[in-house]
Amino acid sequence: MNNFLEAFKKQLQENGPVLLLASVIIFYFYGPFILHPQSFLLNGTGDGLKNYYTYAWYIQNNTLSNEFTGMNYPFGEHIFYTDCHPLPAFLLKLLCYIHPIFAENCIGILNWTLLTTPILTALIVFRIFRNLHIEISLATASAVGIMMLSPQTFRLTGHWALSYSFCIPTTIYLLLKHFKSPNKHIAYIFIFLNALFWLSIHAYLGIFAVLLTTGFGILYWFDLEKRKLSLKLLLSGALAFMCFYVYLKITDNHVGRTTNPWGIYELHASFSSVFIPKRGPIAELVKSIIPTINPSIEGISYIGIVSLFTCFGLLFYVLKRIIRYKKQPIKPWINNAFVNYLIIIGVFSLLFSMLFPFWWKLEKLLEYLQFVKQFRAVGRFAWIFYFIIAIVATFKIQEYIMRIHPPFWVSKMLVPIVFLAIPLAESVEYHKEIQNSAAEFNNVFDAKQLSKEIQSSLASINQIKYQAIIPLPYYYIGSDNFGKTANDSIYKLSKTFSFHLELPIMASFLSRTSISESKKMMQITGLNYYPKLIEANIVDPRPFLLVANKTGVTIDELKIISRANLILNSDSYSIYEISKDSLFHDERESAWNRITNQKENLAKPNETIYENFENETFTGMLSNSAKQIDGGVYSIIHTLKNNQFKKDEEYVLSMWMNNFGPNNGQDQLSGYCFIEKNYNGEKSWITGIISPNQSSNIFNNWSFVEVHFWGQEPDATYDIMFKRDGFINLPVEIDHLLVRPANKDYRNIFNWGKDSILHYNGHLIVKPR
């Protein structure tokens, strides 16, 4: 017992100052929020609200399984694609069976964890420094400074699972302990479990741990003294990843996720995102000089002034050695093998985060490296460089102090103050931003904090009567192939009603959802002229709740509302009930009768342009004889000749675009359409961009696309353009291209096999038999 108390006292004496200093600073910024963690949301919009919702839904409303049921109804989603802290959510769900207090306070538990774990970051960085023999005052000051300026602070505005800034330091600390005592087999177990743990929190954090571990394994191979350990370390990292990957493959029953996610060309780091601050006076000064600098938030990993000077020192040293000793190998800048290993891995991580070596128009090489493209937010890898260069800066200044032996007040007071005060001053704006955000949003997942209007609405609804919620305006975010955004108001409204009524949302705000599922989901709000395949997946006969905003609802969505029954109405939203039969009601017959009896407002043949891309005697449905346009960044789908459009008159272009191909049509519609005017040799866009993958009118493997434009110079020609995303090089297929005056309707009837087809304003309505 005495030995235990002595050991505890010793640890407290050494680690107490860093814990106390870090705690005081964190409580200074977040004290009220830490003391009342259940009363707020760090961000109640966008990804922030979604990540709270998926986490809280799983704990309170989900079954204990790999399948998340809160969104993407009726398909659901695998828990690892929801960003809901899978392992902590799973463990809290287990604890809920012991006592409901864990479910009732799950948001508070998450908020408290998010705001206090930076203290753990400071402690672990401090332990790294002490194992590197950094003097205690400098180690304390620098560890707290690194904690405050961590780029993962920005994740407290939305991506909660990415905000755990002790992930990278923990991995470095375990590798350091292994480096110093490599023959302890228990070290490999801890390194393996560490990587597996972070993979279960968020895939990116896990990959950081795997990268650091395997990076050291590779570097060990070049060190003769440690070569025998190389394979063991490589296996520790690789095995953790393989366990995660195999588990995901076995348990994931959602087929057809994209293998080409959007973002890698846009969400990478840059010189400005790493070496120039995002907030503060220096940032404002730089923006005043170079106003075009606006790095992607995914690439932000500002290293701070202290580390910046270290980078200059390292670069100066390398250049000096190259110039002075051309024929001699460059000696290590730091006389510590472990720190030199860190530098190599840090520089590699930095270059990769900047999309190196895919610079200088070599991006097409990524098309052959699909595994790399899975890390679409590649800028996050710069976080590894942030921690490593900060450790190197502290180690180097300690090395310099030991060499020159400055006065006591310099080494024990001035230098530590600099290493604390500068990062603290640079990070103040970051933490004030988090403060302000947390003060703005109440916890909508706590019934007591809801407005009286929402509470009254919830009390008036018998949730057992319904099977799911359909939000209007509709949204579907996740597959990168079929989707539609809405607004923060409906995101918040639908998730609030869903959580408290325990009803899943028949929409999605997730990531990498199945392409085939998203294609079916997008049809929900489309016109009922076309069969909706998702109807077969809905076996529950109960009606749906429509949660509708007062703004942003489309014309097609208003048609759904017209078939529903109003339950309640408020100033900002309305709630409707719609039966399954009414939602999927076949409108072909009524539309056929109404349109064929129309006598007025019909366009004359000379007022329209129609192309079916087949021979003159044969008019077909959507078929293999559609027009196909080969790949390229920009493609001219069709050219409209001159003298066909009156000046200042509005026209509507409509066409059908093929959405099918390998992997459920992946990237077939990834791009956008617009119309370009060609007049006197000068080209200019005359419309906004239209994304065909946002169409809700889908007929078999074709999507309906519509573009409005105004006639301009009569002598101009107009090119219908399609610009592909990134380096996608798939052919584009179109059929039934129609241009008509916006104030007139087009109508034509033709036969296709045994079917009669009504072509009305671009839509193809098959007459029911």
Side-chain angles (χ1 to χ4, degrees):
M1 185 66 178
N2 290 332
N3 291 336
F4 172 78
L5 291 175
E6 285 296 323
F8 178 78
K9 182 179 179 181
K10 182 179 179 181
Q11 288 295 319
L12 188 62
Q13 286 177 340
E14 181 159 330
N15 300 322
V18 70
L19 288 171
L20 179 62
L21 181 59
S23 299
V24 167
I25 293 175
I26 290 297
F27 268 81
Y28 172 79
F29 284 102
Y30 305 112
F33 305 110
I34 292 173
L35 295 175
H36 304 283
Q38 184 71 10
S39 64
F40 68 94
L41 300 179
L42 286 164
N43 188 351
T45 63
D47 282 336
L49 181 67
K50 181 267 289 187
N51 293 335
Y52 274 124
Y53 168 82
T54 55
Y55 161 83
W57 172 280
Y58 187 86
I59 294 169
Q60 289 210 23
N61 301 330
N62 217 88
T63 57
L64 191 64
S65 70
N66 294 305
E67 200 67 14
F68 173 78
T69 59
M71 282 192 283
N72 203 37
Y73 179 86
F75 304 108
E77 183 54 283
H78 194 284
I79 186 176
F80 277 96
Y81 288 92
T82 64
D83 210 1
C84 74
H85 292 70
L87 180 59
F90 186 87
L91 294 176
L92 278 174
K93 182 69 179 176
L94 283 174
L95 291 173
C96 291
Y97 294 115
I98 300 174
H99 199 287
I101 193 172
F102 294 102
E104 295 166 0
N105 293 279
C106 63
I107 296 294
I109 293 170
L110 177 60
N111 283 336
W112 191 89
T113 303
L114 294 173
L115 293 178
T116 57
T117 48
I119 300 170
L120 184 57
T121 301
L123 175 62
I124 296 171
V125 173
F126 174 79
R127 294 313 312 162
I128 292 171
F129 286 149
R130 293 300 291 152
N131 276 269
L132 291 173
H133 308 294
I134 307 296
E135 193 274 327
I136 194 166
S137 60
L138 176 58
T140 300
S142 183
V144 175
I146 291 169
M147 171 198 78
M148 290 301 292
L149 198 58
S150 167
Q152 289 170 264
T153 299
F154 287 108
R155 299 298 133 174
L156 289 174
T157 59
H159 296 146
W160 321 126
L162 287 170
S163 68
Y164 297 114
S165 52
F166 65 97
C167 165
I168 296 169
T170 300
T171 308
I172 293 174
Y173 177 72
L174 290 173
L175 290 169
L176 176 57
K177 298 295 285 185
H178 170 267
F179 189 89
K180 297 177 73 173
S181 302
N183 294 320
K184 293 182 179 179
H185 296 293
I186 191 69
Y188 297 106
I189 297 175
F190 277 113
I191 290 169
F192 163 77
L193 292 176
N194 173 68
L196 196 60
F197 171 79
W198 290 115
L199 283 165
S200 70
I201 300 294
H202 198 288
Y204 274 92
L205 298 184
I207 289 298
F208 296 159
V210 170
L211 174 62
L212 283 162
T213 302
T214 55
F216 266 83
I218 292 170
L219 292 174
Y220 275 7
W221 180 259
F222 298 98
D223 187 334
L224 294 178
E225 294 181 3
K226 294 185 177 293
R227 179 168 290 185
K228 293 181 180 179
L229 306 173
S230 175
L231 184 60
K232 294 180 181 179
L233 208 53
L234 285 170
L235 283 175
S236 297
L239 186 60
F241 177 77
M242 286 305 299
C243 288
F244 171 76
Y245 180 79
V246 170
Y247 173 80
L248 197 58
K249 283 296 180 182
I250 292 174
T251 59
D252 184 14
N253 58 15
H254 299 269
V255 180
R257 301 186 189 277
T258 179
T259 60
N260 184 35
W262 171 87
I264 196 167
Y265 301 113
E266 294 80 14
L267 306 178
H268 56 79
S270 62
F271 179 87
S272 61
S273 69
V274 175
F275 299 106
I276 297 176
K278 188 176 185 289
R279 298 281 189 274
I282 297 177
E284 294 303 319
L285 177 62
V286 173
K287 286 180 181 178
S288 66
I289 300 172
I290 313 174
T292 56
I293 289 182
N294 186 27
S296 162
I297 189 171
E298 295 293 356
I300 293 175
S301 185
Y302 174 57
I303 61 174
I305 292 175
V306 173
S307 295
L308 194 58
F309 278 106
T310 303
C311 288
F312 287 140
L314 177 59
L315 184 61
F316 175 78
Y317 173 81
V318 171
L319 292 176
K320 178 182 175 182
R321 296 290 305 185
I322 291 174
I323 295 171
R324 182 173 294 182
Y325 308 105
K326 295 180 180 180
K327 296 183 180 181
Q328 296 182 19
I330 297 175
K331 295 181 180 180
W333 188 48
I334 291 176
N335 295 318
N336 184 292
F338 180 82
V339 178
N340 282 314
Y341 284 0
L342 281 181
I343 292 174
I344 294 170
I345 295 173
V347 171
F348 170 81
S349 301
L350 176 65
L351 293 175
F352 181 65
S353 75
M354 293 181 174
L355 215 56
F356 180 87
F358 309 105
W359 293 340
W360 306 301
K361 299 184 179 180
L362 296 176
E363 292 91 342
K364 287 187 178 181
L365 292 176
L366 279 171
E367 303 308 309
Y368 304 100
L369 299 170
Q370 291 297 323
F371 175 76
V372 175
K373 291 190 73 174
Q374 296 305 306
F375 305 109
R376 59 179 175 182
V378 69
R380 296 170 183 172
F381 283 83
W383 300 349
I384 297 175
F385 178 74
Y386 166 83
F387 283 101
I388 288 176
I389 197 64
I391 291 170
V392 172
T394 308
F395 186 89
K396 190 62 185 176
I397 198 68
Q398 175 71 42
E399 195 177 63
Y400 184 72
I401 287 172
M402 292 180 67
R403 188 168 70 247
I404 65 171
H405 299 292
F408 177 86
W409 66 272
V410 172
S411 62
K412 304 295 184 182
M413 298 178 63
L414 180 60
V415 172
I417 288 173
V418 168
F419 271 70
L420 173 63
I422 292 179
L424 191 60
E426 291 189 284
S427 66
V428 165
E429 293 294 327
Y430 303 166
H431 293 279
K432 282 185 177 179
E433 185 177 320
I434 308 301
Q435 269 185 331
N436 295 334
S437 180
E440 183 179 351
F441 300 105
N442 290 334
N443 178 8
V444 296
F445 303 108
D446 184 345
K448 294 177 289 187
Q449 297 187 51
L450 297 174
S451 67
K452 291 183 179 179
E453 182 182 56
I454 295 286
Q455 289 181 1
S456 176
S457 297
L458 290 169
S460 66
I461 298 172
N462 179 12
Q463 64 261 47
I464 299 175
K465 183 179 177 182
Y466 305 100
Q467 60 173 301
I469 288 173
I470 301 176
L472 298 176
Y474 190 73
Y475 57 88
Y476 195 92
I477 301 169
S479 77
D480 287 347
N481 283 268
F482 296 92
K484 177 182 178 295
T485 58
N487 53 62
D488 279 326
S489 179
I490 192 62
Y491 300 152
K492 179 178 180 180
L493 195 64
S494 60
K495 290 177 177 64
T496 302
F497 273 87
S498 167
F499 177 80
H500 292 287
L501 293 175
E502 300 181 27
L503 289 173
I505 301 174
M506 200 171 176
S508 172
F509 198 133
L510 298 166
S511 61
R512 307 197 192 192
T513 51
S514 161
I515 299 173
S516 60
E517 292 173 5
S518 64
K519 182 177 178 180
K520 290 181 179 181
M521 295 286 284
M522 283 295 293
Q523 288 185 283
I524 290 171
T525 57
L527 295 172
N528 285 14
Y529 301 158
Y530 313 109
K532 298 184 177 182
L533 301 180
I534 195 172
E535 185 176 4
N537 297 103
I538 302 173
V539 296
D540 193 326
R542 290 179 296 172
F544 298 88
L545 271 185
L546 299 182
V547 177
N549 237 352
K550 293 291 186 180
T551 58
V553 179
T554 67
I555 294 174
D556 289 350
E557 291 166 350
L558 286 172
K559 293 179 179 179
I560 296 175
I561 291 175
S562 69
R563 303 196 299 271
N565 298 318
L566 181 66
I567 295 177
L568 59 90
N569 195 22
S570 75
D571 293 337
S572 56
Y573 61 88
S574 300
I575 307 294
Y576 300 86
E577 174 186 307
I578 188 168
S579 67
K580 180 180 175 182
D581 289 340
S582 294
L583 179 64
F584 297 108
H585 172 66
D586 188 340
E587 294 183 350
R588 291 179 300 166
E589 186 171 355
S590 60
W592 185 285
N593 294 333
R594 173 176 53 82
I595 295 166
T596 53
N597 290 325
Q598 182 178 342
K599 304 296 183 183
E600 300 178 353
N601 210 42
L602 294 175
K604 298 176 182 179
N606 64 349
E607 294 178 311
T608 63
I609 299 171
Y610 174 63
E611 295 283 355
N612 60 24
F613 308 110
E614 296 167 0
N615 63 59
E616 295 178 358
T617 60
F618 179 76
T619 304
M621 278 287 280
L622 302 165
S623 63
N624 293 330
S625 54
K627 183 176 181 179
Q628 180 170 302
I629 301 93
D630 291 334
V633 179
Y634 287 91
S635 293
I636 298 176
I637 293 178
H638 195 69
T639 298
L640 305 175
K641 298 179 181 179
N642 56 10
N643 296 315
Q644 297 192 22
F645 304 104
K646 297 178 182 179
K647 190 173 184 179
D648 298 328
E649 185 167 332
E650 186 181 7
Y651 294 87
V652 181
L653 160 73
S654 61
M655 59 186 170
W656 289 86
M657 299 186 70
N658 196 325
N659 60 40
F660 190 71
N663 193 22
N664 302 284
Q666 177 178 308
D667 299 326
Q668 192 65 47
L669 297 181
S670 294
Y672 51 82
C673 302
F674 61 94
I675 297 178
E676 185 177 73
K677 180 182 71 175
N678 192 339
Y679 182 65
N680 289 338
E682 295 184 2
K683 296 183 178 182
S684 59
W685 292 12
I686 65 169
T687 65
I689 59 174
I690 301 295
S691 298
N693 56 18
Q694 294 184 9
S695 173
S696 59
N697 290 304
I698 298 173
F699 191 5
N700 294 330
N701 294 322
W702 295 79
S703 294
F704 180 73
V705 180
E706 197 171 69
V707 184
H708 289 248
F709 68 98
W710 290 82
Q712 299 187 3
E713 290 80 1
D715 294 335
T717 59
Y718 300 86
D719 291 329
I720 304 168
M721 305 291 296
F722 184 74
K723 183 185 182 302
R724 292 167 178 81
D725 286 343
F727 293 88
I728 296 166
N729 199 34
L730 298 173
V732 174
E733 290 184 87
I734 66 169
D735 206 352
H736 291 283
L737 184 147
L738 172 69
V739 181
R740 63 180 176 86
N743 60 353
K744 294 187 178 181
D745 296 320
Y746 174 87
R747 183 181 69 192
N748 183 36
I749 298 176
F750 60 88
N751 294 322
W752 172 248
K754 296 181 180 180
D755 290 317
S756 294
I757 313 298
L758 172 60
H759 186 186
Y760 178 69
N761 290 347
H763 287 284
L764 302 171
I765 306 171
V766 181
K767 185 176 183 179
R769 297 183 185 179

